[in-house]
Structure formats: C-alpha cells, structure tokens
Amino acid sequence: MLRKQRNRASFATKTRKKHTRRVSEKRRIQSRRKKGTKTYVFSLPPNHSFHANNRREAHEMIGEVTEQDREVLPQPVLSVIIPAMNEERTIAAVVREATRICRDAEVLVIVNGSTDGTANEAERAGARVLHYPEALGHDAGRRVGAASARGQILLFTDADILIPAEHLAPFVQAVLNGVDVALNNYNGPVTRSPVHPVVEAKHMLNSLLSRSDLGGASMTAIPHALSRQALEIIGISSLEIPPLAHAKAIFGGLRVQAVHHVPVGKWNAVRSTKRGGADLLSQIVLNDHLEAIRWMTDTRGPRGAYPDLQRVRSLAQ
C-alpha cells in the first residue's frame, strides 16, 4: 500500500514537472515572438508568375537557396517602403518589424527634412536609407521609395506607427496569392457624429468607382501592398496622390482587395495640434480625392463613365 502511494506521488511529481516544462517552453516561444525574432516564410503557388519568372527568388523566399546562389539573385521579393521625418523614437522598432516579414526583403527608409537621428537609427536597425535634407512633402516619400525599390512586391507603412510583422505579412501573402493592390480593411470611425470628412471622402470615392464593397479602404491608409505589375499600371508618380493611384488601379482592371484589418486609428500616435487651428493634413487628403475625381471625369467623360439615363440635356439649353 505504501509502495503504491509512493508510486502515485512520484507519477504526480513527474507529470507536474512535464507540465511546468511545457508551459515554460511555450512562454519562451511567445517571448521570442514578442521580441521580434520570428521571420515569416511564404510559400508560392506552383503556377504563380513570380515562380515561373524567377525560380531562384521563390526558393530564397521559402529558405531553399544556398549562400552561393544568394550572390547572384537579381532582386529581393519584397521592398518595404517607410517615409520618415523626425521619427528617431520609433523608426528602429518599425524597421525591425519590417525585416521580420520576409527572409528576402529590403527595407527602404526615406528620411526627409529630419533634424534628429532618424537616419542613424534606421541604418543601425538594418534599413537602406535614402536621405534628403529637405522635407519632400506629404506622400512624396512613397514615390521616391518606389522609384528605388527592387522588390517584386512593394509594402508601404509609416515610421510613426509600430505595426507588428503579424499584421504586415497578410498583405504580402495576398499579393503572392494574386491580388494586385492589397489594402488595409479599415473603414475609419464611421459611427461618430459627425463623420470625419476624410472618412466620408474615402467611402464616396469607392462608391464613384463602383467599389462600394471596399467601404473606406483606401491607398491613403497604411499598410498596403502593390505588385510590380500594379506599380507599372498605376505609375510611380501617382503614388504621391494616393486617391488618384487608387482610382487608376481600379480603372486599370487591377485586382484591388481589402485583405486584412489593422486598427491604425487606434495605434497612430496622437499629434499635438493647436486648438481651433486648421487641419492642414485633412485638407490635403480631401484635395487629393478631388484630384482623383477630376482625373476620372477627364478620362471617362464629365460623368465619370456613368450613364445619363433618360436625361436629354440638349433640350434644356
């Protein structure tokens, strides 16, 4: 009887130790992920154009390439483009998350008009820095970064919002699966009263483009990703006006989808502004939407390709 009790006690002790080891190991794994040591490995569909055009790039992405082969690889699979102006506090962490997305990736930080150590912090974190002493203006950094990017996929994010790689990887995977423009499935605070004009503008533009299914998803919001084909159709210069690039992508017959939700409204750092002052950034974004609508009417007619139905306007003249 005593021997059975000792055996049961010994078994219980061993079981508890095994359980403790499993819990400890699980916590260590989670801790490593939080610290950003996990790198994503993507697999390509066998009939994907990237796989057909450049088998070495596909093998690099899934970790099957040798060091000797790596030296002759012509370009990375992914380019992460990050405009930055005086973001010394956050840029290193943003770059580290970007490097976790894909083994075969380049991270471009377009430092413009900065007076702090943004460029040095970005370089130390592993980014390739494009440095401009003067401020390039809103969204111009995306255009500059895209012009220098060598990747088959271009992923755009900002330097002041730390987005974990777990929330960036789905945009890359969507493009690998055939999406040309992978958007953040973020509609903005639509339940507020009144709704912010920028949120209304995004929904309105998608409605005019016959893509109400996109809601408020837009190339104005980050993160979003483009295929190399999408970049060629949209045109690099259009990236400086995101709503215009958005309209060109849809009118160009590209596959545009909202693929993953990232709550950038909650994560974005609150900027201090003078009370009662004009919201200049919102005005720029609204003007960008007007630019997209003007392009639509210039290229598709005064009604943007919508029919006039029963109206006979000539009789009213």
Side-chain angles (χ1 to χ4, degrees):
M1 187 68 165
L2 205 57
R3 184 181 297 173
K4 285 184 179 181
Q5 289 178 346
R6 282 199 299 268
N7 289 341
R8 286 174 185 170
S10 176
F11 177 78
T13 302
K14 289 179 181 178
T15 303
R16 281 196 299 272
K17 287 181 179 179
K18 287 181 180 179
H19 175 72
T20 303
R21 281 198 297 269
R22 284 198 300 267
V23 171
S24 298
E25 180 61 22
K26 186 176 181 181
R27 286 175 179 171
R28 279 196 295 271
I29 292 172
Q30 290 174 343
S31 176
R32 286 198 297 269
R33 288 178 180 174
K34 288 178 182 178
K35 291 177 182 176
T37 59
K38 177 184 176 184
T39 302
Y40 279 81
V41 182
F42 297 107
S43 58
L44 292 173
N47 60 345
H48 200 282
S49 59
F50 293 168
H51 194 282
N53 292 338
N54 200 326
R55 191 176 184 87
R56 281 206 203 97
E57 289 184 15
H59 284 176
E60 162 63 6
M61 192 162 53
I62 60 176
E64 297 176 1
V65 76
T66 65
E67 289 299 323
Q68 185 177 4
D69 291 333
R70 193 189 305 275
E71 296 176 1
V72 296
L73 287 173
Q75 58 186 164
V77 170
L78 174 66
S79 294
V80 184
I81 298 168
I82 311 171
M85 179 178 176
N86 291 334
E87 303 294 351
E88 182 181 30
R89 285 191 313 107
T90 56
I91 189 60
V94 171
V95 169
R96 283 193 291 270
E97 289 300 320
T99 58
R100 291 177 55 214
I101 301 170
C102 182
R103 286 177 178 171
D104 183 18
E106 64 172 359
V107 180
L108 300 174
V109 176
I110 301 84
V111 179
N112 62 103
S114 286
T115 56
D116 63 1
T118 300
N120 291 334
E121 290 295 324
E123 285 182 347
R124 277 198 287 266
R128 178 159 68 97
V129 174
L130 306 179
H131 192 249
Y132 296 84
E134 67 280 0
L136 298 177
H138 189 60
D139 291 319
R142 296 184 188 182
R143 173 178 57 80
V144 171
S148 299
R150 299 179 299 121
Q152 296 277 15
I153 302 169
L154 282 71
L155 175 69
F156 298 87
T157 188
D158 284 347
D160 60 339
I161 309 178
L162 179 57
I163 302 176
E166 287 80 2
H167 284 284
L168 296 172
F171 296 90
V172 179
Q173 189 65 65
V175 176
L176 289 174
N177 290 341
V179 174
D180 293 300
V181 181
L183 300 175
N184 182 2
N185 190 17
Y186 175 72
N187 289 315
V190 294
T191 58
R192 289 183 185 175
S193 182
V195 177
H196 195 282
V198 169
V199 176
E200 289 182 320
K202 292 176 182 179
H203 284 262
M204 179 204 65
L205 182 59
N206 282 331
S207 181
L208 290 175
L209 293 167
S210 300
R211 288 299 306 272
S212 297
D213 59 295
L214 292 175
S218 168
M219 286 182 66
T220 301
I222 54 94
H224 62 266
L226 307 177
S227 66
R228 179 61 64 173
Q229 177 192 8
L231 183 64
E232 293 171 358
I233 291 176
I234 293 170
I236 290 178
S237 61
S238 298
L239 296 179
E240 200 164 342
I241 307 175
L244 176 59
H246 185 82
K248 287 185 175 182
I250 293 174
F251 273 9
L254 294 173
R255 189 178 174 189
V256 181
Q257 287 187 6
V259 300
H260 182 69
H261 176 71
V262 180
V264 289
K266 293 181 179 179
W267 293 354
N268 195 11
V270 178
R271 305 276 183 173
S272 60
T273 56
K274 295 181 180 180
R275 289 186 179 179
D279 187 352
L280 298 180
L281 180 57
S282 292
Q283 193 59 54
I284 289 173
V285 177
L286 292 174
N287 288 339
D288 286 350
H289 282 78
L290 291 175
E291 187 76 17
I293 293 172
R294 186 175 70 176
W295 176 83
M296 290 169 60
T297 57
D298 286 346
T299 57
R300 295 292 183 100
R303 292 184 56 80
Y306 282 92
D308 222 354
L309 299 179
Q310 304 297 326
R311 294 191 183 107
V312 184
R313 295 180 183 271
S314 59
L315 297 179
Q317 295 177 353

